[in-house]
Amino acid sequence: MSLSLHDHQLRIADLETALAALVQTFAGSHAANTFAVSEAARALRAKGAKGAAGLLEGAAAQAAYRR
């Protein structure tokens, strides 16, 4: 079964929303967790995964996706 571009966009939006909720829950429960999330984002950015790092930081989910 193939998905349309619109279906893919909806799926990606759902994944971004779920990831943001998980990060917010994880990072909000303890200061060490907040540090761990920012370190994970830093490591992703160092590997060149700027979009994934931005999602962890919360900024990219609100902005238009650009490459």
Side-chain angles (χ1 to χ4, degrees), residues 6-39:
H6 178 70
D7 292 335
H8 281 288
Q9 289 173 331
L10 290 176
R11 183 167 291 178
I12 289 169
D14 288 343
L15 289 171
E16 287 177 348
T17 302
L19 178 63
L22 286 171
V23 167
Q24 188 175 34
T25 301
F26 178 72
S29 62
H30 194 274
N33 292 345
T34 302
F35 179 75
V37 169
S38 55
E39 281 299 301

Side-chain angles (χ1 to χ4, degrees), residues 31-57:
N33 292 345
T34 302
F35 179 75
V37 169
S38 55
E39 281 299 301
R42 186 193 59 75
L44 286 169
R45 197 174 302 286
K47 292 179 183 176
K50 295 178 196 173
L55 283 173
L56 282 181
E57 294 167 340

